[in-house]
CSV table of all heavy atoms in Angstrom, one decimal:
chain,number,residue,atom,x,y,z
A,27,TRP,N,17.4,9.5,13.9
A,27,TRP,CA,16.1,10.1,14.2
A,27,TRP,C,16.1,11.6,13.8
A,27,TRP,O,17.0,12.3,14.0
A,27,TRP,CB,15.8,10.0,15.7
A,27,TRP,CG,14.4,10.7,16.0
A,27,TRP,CD1,13.2,10.3,16.0
A,27,TRP,CD2,14.3,12.1,16.4
A,27,TRP,NE1,12.2,11.2,16.3
A,27,TRP,CE2,12.9,12.4,16.6
A,27,TRP,CE3,15.2,13.2,16.7
A,27,TRP,CZ2,12.4,13.6,17.1
A,27,TRP,CZ3,14.7,14.3,17.0
A,27,TRP,CH2,13.3,14.6,17.2
A,28,THR,N,15.0,12.1,13.2
A,28,THR,CA,14.8,13.5,12.9
A,28,THR,C,13.3,13.9,13.3
A,28,THR,O,12.4,13.1,12.9
A,28,THR,CB,15.0,13.7,11.4
A,28,THR,OG1,16.3,13.3,11.0
A,28,THR,CG2,14.8,15.1,11.0
A,29,CYS,N,13.4,15.1,13.8
A,29,CYS,CA,12.0,15.6,14.2
A,29,CYS,C,11.0,15.7,13.0
A,29,CYS,O,11.6,16.1,11.9
A,29,CYS,CB,12.2,17.0,14.9
A,29,CYS,SG,10.7,18.0,15.1
A,30,PRO,N,9.8,15.3,13.1
A,30,PRO,CA,8.9,15.3,11.9
A,30,PRO,C,8.9,16.6,11.2
A,30,PRO,O,8.8,16.8,10.0
A,30,PRO,CB,7.6,14.8,12.6
A,30,PRO,CG,7.9,14.0,13.7
A,30,PRO,CD,9.1,14.6,14.3
A,31,ARG,N,8.9,17.7,12.0
A,31,ARG,CA,8.9,19.1,11.4
A,31,ARG,C,10.1,19.5,10.6
A,31,ARG,O,10.1,20.4,9.8
A,31,ARG,CB,8.6,20.1,12.5
A,31,ARG,CG,7.3,20.0,13.3
A,31,ARG,CD,7.0,21.2,14.0
A,31,ARG,NE,8.1,21.5,15.0
A,31,ARG,CZ,8.3,21.0,16.2
A,31,ARG,NH1,7.4,20.1,16.6
A,31,ARG,NH2,9.4,21.3,17.0
A,32,CYS,N,11.2,18.8,10.9
A,32,CYS,CA,12.5,19.1,10.3
A,32,CYS,C,12.9,18.2,9.2
A,32,CYS,O,14.1,18.2,8.6
A,32,CYS,CB,13.6,19.1,11.4
A,32,CYS,SG,13.2,20.3,12.7
A,33,ARG,N,12.0,17.3,8.9
A,33,ARG,CA,12.5,16.2,7.7
A,33,ARG,C,12.5,17.0,6.4
A,33,ARG,O,11.8,17.9,6.2
A,33,ARG,CB,11.4,15.1,7.7
A,33,ARG,CG,11.6,14.2,9.0
A,33,ARG,CD,10.5,13.1,9.0
A,33,ARG,NE,10.6,12.3,10.3
A,33,ARG,CZ,9.6,11.6,10.8
A,33,ARG,NH1,8.5,11.5,10.2
A,33,ARG,NH2,9.8,11.0,11.9
A,34,GLY,N,13.4,16.4,5.6
A,34,GLY,CA,13.5,17.0,4.3
A,34,GLY,C,14.7,18.1,4.2
A,34,GLY,O,14.8,18.7,3.1
A,35,GLN,N,15.3,18.4,5.4
A,35,GLN,CA,16.2,19.5,5.4
A,35,GLN,C,17.6,19.0,5.3
A,35,GLN,O,18.7,19.7,5.4
A,35,GLN,CB,16.1,20.3,6.7
A,35,GLN,CG,14.7,20.9,6.8
A,35,GLN,CD,14.6,21.8,8.1
A,35,GLN,OE1,15.5,22.3,8.7
A,35,GLN,NE2,13.3,21.9,8.5
A,36,GLY,N,17.9,17.7,5.3
A,36,GLY,CA,19.2,17.1,5.2
A,36,GLY,C,19.9,17.0,6.5
A,36,GLY,O,21.1,16.8,6.5
A,37,LEU,N,19.2,17.0,7.6
A,37,LEU,CA,19.9,17.0,8.9
A,37,LEU,C,20.5,15.7,9.3
A,37,LEU,O,21.7,15.7,9.7
A,37,LEU,CB,18.8,17.5,10.0
A,37,LEU,CG,18.3,18.9,9.9
A,37,LEU,CD1,17.2,19.1,11.1
A,37,LEU,CD2,19.3,19.9,10.0
A,38,ALA,N,19.8,14.6,9.1
A,38,ALA,CA,20.3,13.3,9.4
A,38,ALA,C,21.5,13.0,8.4
A,38,ALA,O,22.5,12.4,8.8
A,38,ALA,CB,19.2,12.3,9.3
A,39,GLU,N,21.3,13.3,7.1
A,39,GLU,CA,22.4,13.2,6.2
A,39,GLU,C,23.6,13.9,6.6
A,39,GLU,O,24.8,13.3,6.6
A,39,GLU,CB,22.0,13.6,4.8
A,39,GLU,CG,23.0,13.4,3.7
A,39,GLU,CD,22.6,13.8,2.4
A,39,GLU,OE1,21.4,14.2,2.2
A,39,GLU,OE2,23.5,13.7,1.5
A,40,ALA,N,23.6,15.1,7.1
A,40,ALA,CA,24.7,15.8,7.5
A,40,ALA,C,25.4,15.2,8.8
A,40,ALA,O,26.6,15.1,8.8
A,40,ALA,CB,24.3,17.3,7.9
A,41,LEU,N,24.6,14.7,9.6
A,41,LEU,CA,25.1,14.0,10.8
A,41,LEU,C,25.8,12.7,10.5
A,41,LEU,O,27.0,12.4,10.9
A,41,LEU,CB,24.1,13.7,11.9
A,41,LEU,CG,23.5,14.9,12.6
A,41,LEU,CD1,22.3,14.4,13.6
A,41,LEU,CD2,24.5,15.7,13.4
A,42,LEU,N,25.2,12.0,9.5
A,42,LEU,CA,25.9,10.7,9.1
A,42,LEU,C,27.2,11.0,8.3
A,42,LEU,O,28.1,10.2,8.4
A,42,LEU,CB,24.9,10.0,8.2
A,42,LEU,CG,23.8,9.3,9.0
A,42,LEU,CD1,22.7,8.7,7.9
A,42,LEU,CD2,24.3,8.1,9.9
A,43,GLN,N,27.2,12.1,7.6
A,43,GLN,CA,28.4,12.4,6.8
A,43,GLN,C,29.6,12.8,7.8
A,43,GLN,O,30.6,12.6,7.6
A,43,GLN,CB,28.1,13.7,5.8
A,43,GLN,CG,27.3,13.1,4.6
A,43,GLN,CD,27.1,14.3,3.7
A,43,GLN,OE1,27.0,15.5,4.1
A,43,GLN,NE2,26.8,14.0,2.4
A,44,ARG,N,29.2,13.6,8.9
A,44,ARG,CA,30.1,13.8,10.0
A,44,ARG,C,30.7,12.5,10.5
A,44,ARG,O,31.9,12.4,10.8
A,44,ARG,CB,29.4,14.6,11.0
A,44,ARG,CG,29.4,16.1,10.8
A,44,ARG,CD,28.7,16.8,11.9
A,44,ARG,NE,29.5,16.7,13.2
A,44,ARG,CZ,29.0,17.0,14.3
A,44,ARG,NH1,27.8,17.5,14.4
A,44,ARG,NH2,29.7,16.8,15.4
A,45,LEU,N,29.8,11.6,10.8
A,45,LEU,CA,30.2,10.3,11.4
A,45,LEU,C,31.1,9.6,10.5
A,45,LEU,O,32.2,9.1,10.9
A,45,LEU,CB,29.0,9.5,11.7
A,45,LEU,CG,29.2,8.1,12.3
A,45,LEU,CD1,29.9,8.3,13.7
A,45,LEU,CD2,27.9,7.3,12.4
A,46,ILE,N,30.8,9.6,9.2
A,46,ILE,CA,31.7,8.9,8.2
A,46,ILE,C,33.0,9.5,8.1
A,46,ILE,O,34.0,8.8,8.1
A,46,ILE,CB,30.9,8.9,6.8
A,46,ILE,CG1,29.7,8.0,6.8
A,46,ILE,CG2,32.0,8.5,5.7
A,46,ILE,CD1,28.8,8.2,5.5
A,47,ARG,N,33.1,10.8,8.1
A,47,ARG,CA,34.4,11.5,8.1
A,47,ARG,C,35.2,11.3,9.4
A,47,ARG,O,36.4,11.4,9.3
A,47,ARG,CB,34.2,13.1,7.9
A,47,ARG,CG,33.6,13.4,6.5
A,47,ARG,CD,33.8,15.0,6.3
A,47,ARG,NE,33.0,15.7,7.2
A,47,ARG,CZ,31.8,16.1,7.0
A,47,ARG,NH1,31.0,15.8,5.9
A,47,ARG,NH2,31.1,16.8,7.9
A,48,SER,N,34.6,11.0,10.4
A,48,SER,CA,35.3,10.8,11.6
A,48,SER,C,36.0,9.4,11.9
A,48,SER,O,36.7,9.4,12.9
A,48,SER,CB,34.3,11.1,12.9
A,48,SER,OG,33.5,10.0,13.0
A,49,THR,N,35.7,8.5,11.0
A,49,THR,CA,36.3,7.2,11.3
A,49,THR,C,36.7,6.5,10.0
A,49,THR,O,36.2,6.8,8.9
A,49,THR,CB,35.2,6.3,12.0
A,49,THR,OG1,35.8,5.0,12.3
A,49,THR,CG2,33.9,6.2,11.1
A,50,GLY,N,37.6,5.6,10.1
A,50,GLY,CA,38.0,4.7,9.1
A,50,GLY,C,37.4,3.4,9.1
A,50,GLY,O,37.6,2.5,8.3
A,51,LYS,N,36.6,3.1,10.1
A,51,LYS,CA,35.9,1.8,10.4
A,51,LYS,C,34.8,1.6,9.4
A,51,LYS,O,34.2,2.6,9.0
A,51,LYS,CB,35.4,1.6,11.8
A,51,LYS,CG,36.5,1.7,12.9
A,51,LYS,CD,35.8,1.5,14.2
A,51,LYS,CE,36.8,1.4,15.4
A,51,LYS,NZ,36.2,1.2,16.7
A,52,ASP,N,34.4,0.4,9.2
A,52,ASP,CA,33.2,0.1,8.4
A,52,ASP,C,32.1,0.5,9.4
A,52,ASP,O,32.2,0.5,10.6
A,52,ASP,CB,33.1,-1.5,8.2
A,52,ASP,CG,33.9,-2.0,7.0
A,52,ASP,OD1,34.7,-1.2,6.6
A,52,ASP,OD2,33.7,-3.2,6.6
A,53,ILE,N,31.0,0.9,8.7
A,53,ILE,CA,29.8,1.4,9.6
A,53,ILE,C,28.7,0.5,9.2
A,53,ILE,O,28.3,0.3,7.9
A,53,ILE,CB,29.4,2.8,9.2
A,53,ILE,CG1,30.7,3.7,9.5
A,53,ILE,CG2,28.3,3.2,10.1
A,53,ILE,CD1,30.4,5.2,9.2
A,54,VAL,N,28.1,-0.1,10.2
A,54,VAL,CA,27.0,-1.1,10.0
A,54,VAL,C,25.7,-0.6,10.7
A,54,VAL,O,25.7,0.1,11.8
A,54,VAL,CB,27.3,-2.5,10.6
A,54,VAL,CG1,26.2,-3.4,10.4
A,54,VAL,CG2,28.6,-3.0,9.9
A,55,LEU,N,24.5,-0.8,10.1
A,55,LEU,CA,23.2,-0.5,10.6
A,55,LEU,C,22.1,-1.6,10.2
A,55,LEU,O,22.4,-2.2,9.2
A,55,LEU,CB,22.8,0.9,10.4
A,55,LEU,CG,22.7,1.4,8.9
A,55,LEU,CD1,21.3,0.9,8.3
A,55,LEU,CD2,22.9,2.9,8.8
A,56,HIS,N,21.1,-1.6,10.9
A,56,HIS,CA,20.0,-2.4,10.7
A,56,HIS,C,18.8,-1.5,10.3
A,56,HIS,O,18.6,-0.6,11.0
A,56,HIS,CB,19.6,-3.4,11.7
A,56,HIS,CG,20.6,-4.3,12.1
A,56,HIS,ND1,21.3,-5.0,11.3
A,56,HIS,CD2,21.1,-4.6,13.4
A,56,HIS,CE1,22.3,-5.8,11.9
A,56,HIS,NE2,22.1,-5.5,13.3
A,57,VAL,N,18.0,-1.9,9.2
A,57,VAL,CA,17.0,-1.1,8.8
A,57,VAL,C,15.8,-1.9,8.3
A,57,VAL,O,16.0,-2.9,7.6
A,57,VAL,CB,17.4,0.1,7.7
A,57,VAL,CG1,17.9,-0.7,6.5
A,57,VAL,CG2,16.3,1.0,7.4
A,58,HIS,N,14.6,-1.4,8.5
A,58,HIS,CA,13.4,-2.2,8.0
A,58,HIS,C,13.3,-1.9,6.5
A,58,HIS,O,13.6,-0.9,6.1
A,58,HIS,CB,12.2,-1.7,8.6
A,58,HIS,CG,10.9,-2.5,8.4
A,58,HIS,ND1,10.2,-2.3,7.2
A,58,HIS,CD2,10.3,-3.4,9.0
A,58,HIS,CE1,9.2,-3.2,7.1
A,58,HIS,NE2,9.2,-4.0,8.3
A,59,GLN,N,13.1,-3.0,5.8
A,59,GLN,CA,13.1,-2.9,4.3
A,59,GLN,C,12.2,-1.8,3.8
A,59,GLN,O,12.3,-1.5,2.6
A,59,GLN,CB,12.7,-4.3,3.7
A,59,GLN,CG,11.4,-4.8,4.0
A,59,GLN,CD,11.1,-6.2,3.6
A,59,GLN,OE1,12.0,-6.9,3.2
A,59,GLN,NE2,9.8,-6.6,3.6
A,60,ASP,N,11.1,-1.5,4.5
A,60,ASP,CA,10.1,-0.5,4.0
A,60,ASP,C,10.5,1.0,4.5
A,60,ASP,O,9.7,1.9,4.2
A,60,ASP,CB,8.7,-0.9,4.4
A,60,ASP,CG,8.3,-2.2,3.8
A,60,ASP,OD1,8.7,-2.5,2.7
A,60,ASP,OD2,7.5,-2.9,4.5
A,61,ASN,N,11.5,1.0,5.3
A,61,ASN,CA,11.9,2.3,5.8
A,61,ASN,C,12.4,3.3,4.7
A,61,ASN,O,13.4,3.0,4.0
A,61,ASN,CB,12.9,2.1,6.9
A,61,ASN,CG,13.2,3.5,7.7
A,61,ASN,OD1,13.0,4.5,7.3
A,61,ASN,ND2,13.6,3.3,9.0
A,62,PRO,N,11.8,4.4,4.5
A,62,PRO,CA,12.2,5.4,3.5
A,62,PRO,C,13.6,5.8,3.7
A,62,PRO,O,14.3,6.3,2.7
A,62,PRO,CB,11.2,6.5,3.5
A,62,PRO,CG,10.5,6.4,4.9
A,62,PRO,CD,10.5,5.0,5.2
A,63,ALA,N,14.1,5.8,4.9
A,63,ALA,CA,15.5,6.2,5.1
A,63,ALA,C,16.6,5.3,4.3
A,63,ALA,O,17.7,5.7,4.2
A,63,ALA,CB,15.8,6.2,6.6
A,64,THR,N,16.1,4.1,3.9
A,64,THR,CA,17.0,3.3,3.2
A,64,THR,C,17.6,4.0,1.9
A,64,THR,O,18.7,3.8,1.6
A,64,THR,CB,16.2,2.0,2.7
A,64,THR,OG1,15.7,1.3,3.8
A,64,THR,CG2,17.2,1.1,1.9
A,65,LYS,N,16.8,4.9,1.3
A,65,LYS,CA,17.3,5.6,0.2
A,65,LYS,C,18.5,6.6,0.6
A,65,LYS,O,19.5,6.7,-0.2
A,65,LYS,CB,16.2,6.5,-0.4
A,65,LYS,CG,15.1,5.6,-1.1
A,65,LYS,CD,14.0,6.4,-1.7
A,65,LYS,CE,13.0,5.7,-2.4
A,65,LYS,NZ,11.8,6.5,-3.1
A,66,LEU,N,18.4,7.1,1.7
A,66,LEU,CA,19.5,8.0,2.3
A,66,LEU,C,20.7,7.2,2.5
A,66,LEU,O,21.8,7.5,2.1
A,66,LEU,CB,19.1,8.7,3.5
A,66,LEU,CG,20.2,9.4,4.3
A,66,LEU,CD1,20.9,10.4,3.5
A,66,LEU,CD2,19.6,9.9,5.6
A,67,TYR,N,20.6,6.0,3.1
A,67,TYR,CA,21.7,5.1,3.3
A,67,TYR,C,22.4,4.7,2.1
A,67,TYR,O,23.6,4.7,1.9
A,67,TYR,CB,21.4,4.0,4.2
A,67,TYR,CG,20.6,4.3,5.6
A,67,TYR,CD1,19.6,3.6,6.0
A,67,TYR,CD2,21.0,5.4,6.3
A,67,TYR,CE1,18.9,3.9,7.2
A,67,TYR,CE2,20.4,5.8,7.4
A,67,TYR,CZ,19.4,5.0,7.9
A,67,TYR,OH,18.7,5.4,9.0
A,68,GLU,N,21.6,4.3,1.1
A,68,GLU,CA,22.2,3.9,-0.2
A,68,GLU,C,22.9,5.0,-0.9
A,68,GLU,O,23.9,4.9,-1.5
A,68,GLU,CB,21.0,3.4,-1.1
A,68,GLU,CG,20.5,2.0,-0.5
A,68,GLU,CD,19.4,1.6,-1.4
A,68,GLU,OE1,18.7,2.4,-2.1
A,68,GLU,OE2,19.0,0.4,-1.2
A,69,LYS,N,22.3,6.2,-0.8
A,69,LYS,CA,23.0,7.5,-1.3
A,69,LYS,C,24.3,7.6,-0.7
A,69,LYS,O,25.2,8.1,-1.4
A,69,LYS,CB,22.0,8.6,-1.1
A,69,LYS,CG,22.7,10.0,-1.5
A,69,LYS,CD,21.8,11.2,-1.1
A,69,LYS,CE,22.4,12.5,-1.5
A,69,LYS,NZ,21.6,13.6,-1.1
A,70,LEU,N,24.4,7.4,0.6
A,70,LEU,CA,25.8,7.6,1.3
A,70,LEU,C,26.7,6.4,1.0
A,70,LEU,O,27.8,6.5,1.4
A,70,LEU,CB,25.5,7.8,2.7
A,70,LEU,CG,24.7,9.0,3.2
A,70,LEU,CD1,24.4,8.9,4.8
A,70,LEU,CD2,25.6,10.3,2.9
A,71,GLY,N,26.3,5.4,0.3
A,71,GLY,CA,27.2,4.3,-0.1
A,71,GLY,C,26.9,3.0,0.7
A,71,GLY,O,27.8,2.1,0.5
A,72,PHE,N,26.0,3.0,1.6
A,72,PHE,CA,25.7,1.7,2.3
A,72,PHE,C,25.2,0.6,1.3
A,72,PHE,O,24.4,1.0,0.4
A,72,PHE,CB,24.7,1.9,3.4
A,72,PHE,CG,25.2,2.6,4.6
A,72,PHE,CD1,25.3,4.0,4.6
A,72,PHE,CD2,25.5,2.0,5.7
A,72,PHE,CE1,25.8,4.7,5.7
A,72,PHE,CE2,26.1,2.6,6.9
A,72,PHE,CZ,26.2,4.0,6.8
């Protein structure tokens, strides 16, 4: 989640990158096919 006023600043991406760096496990999530956040997840390698 990101506050609507703060979107476009890369905050969620930075948190996800922190999470990725913190673990060697596979990371799984569910997302609606129309959710624009899908582009971010694909950018990160999902």
